[in-house]
Amino acid sequence: MTNKLLILTLCAFSFFGKSQGQIVDKKNLIEKNAVLEKIEGDFSFTEGPAVSRLGDVYFSDQPNDRIIKWSFFTGKTEVFMENAGRSNGMFFDKEGNLIACADMDNQLWSIDPEGNKTVLIESYQGKKLNGPNDLFITPNGDMYITDPLYKRDYWTRDPESLQDGEHLYFLSSNRLQFIRVDEKLERPNGIIGTPDGKTLYVADPGAKKIFKYDIIEDGYLANKEVYLERGSDGMTIDFRGNLYVTGADGVKIYNKKSEEIGHIPVPEKWTANVTFAGPDRKTLFITASESVYKIRMRVYGTH
């Protein structure tokens, strides 16, 4: 498809939202002649894409309280789990369990391949979490979890039973240590780390910033700095260390120096999250409001 035809195609969808226009690719990150493809629509709000070892993607249709599986090889979707705890962000652990931020009851779940769930976390110091939103798992199995407060109309609990603020948490791989590692965020949301487990990025749309941390001994964080003066919903990272951020403007790509090097417009009201899929991790999978999309990349993802 020519660039001219691509522009016309994206503009035809402009009524869906703000994010339309031409793909920008300053560093040859996207496969030559690749176009954004809509996989499927008719969802309510898609979120939390997590890639399995085989390259399939599991994502949530959050208002409909279900987790959907997209098969890389067949290109089809199917319901993996109903009554999914209103799962939001998700990530696979090294044992093949799907770890899900289940904010129906403010919990963190582990879901095995057969769909059986185990509650890992539901409170901190005797009070319920606000509503876990997203997580990142390091190579050694440690977890970092964002816990903002987005009040849900399906909650019946007393707000006084929740936390005293919106914080970033750490859960050790042995599940024995659950602590706060940053109490100075306004509304932490998207989170991703580098494949070596040494660097963590956390989006704080409340502060309109993305922060960068060094991960040090015992899960603690150091050298916090502002990486970008903008917020994001979900995020992912490629093997070069480029960060992919989301929101009303589709997917934007930034290098290690915080320079914008790419933009993938998505013809929807909101782009919520993104991950790399397929056995080669070269298919960028995008959850965007009522639909999910994909585009082939030259670079590969790391998770």
Side-chain angles (χ1 to χ4, degrees), residues 53 91-100 109-114 116 137 175:
R53 287 176 184 157
F91 207 101
F92 275 96
D93 67 17
K94 57 187 177 182
E95 286 78 32
N97 300 307
L98 184 61
I99 310 301
W109 288 5
S110 175
I111 306 169
D112 70 18
E114 287 72 45
N116 303 304
I137 304 179
R175 311 290 189 262

Side-chain angles (χ1 to χ4, degrees), residues 19 133 158-159 196 202:
S19 183
N133 183 276
D158 179 0
D196 59 9
V202 176

Side-chain angles (χ1 to χ4, degrees), residues 26-43:
K26 297 179 181 179
K27 296 295 182 180
N28 296 318
L29 306 176
I30 301 170
E31 192 174 90
K32 186 178 180 180
N33 299 322
V35 296
L36 184 70
E37 300 177 59
K38 184 175 180 177
I39 297 170
E40 191 172 329
D42 298 323
F43 300 107

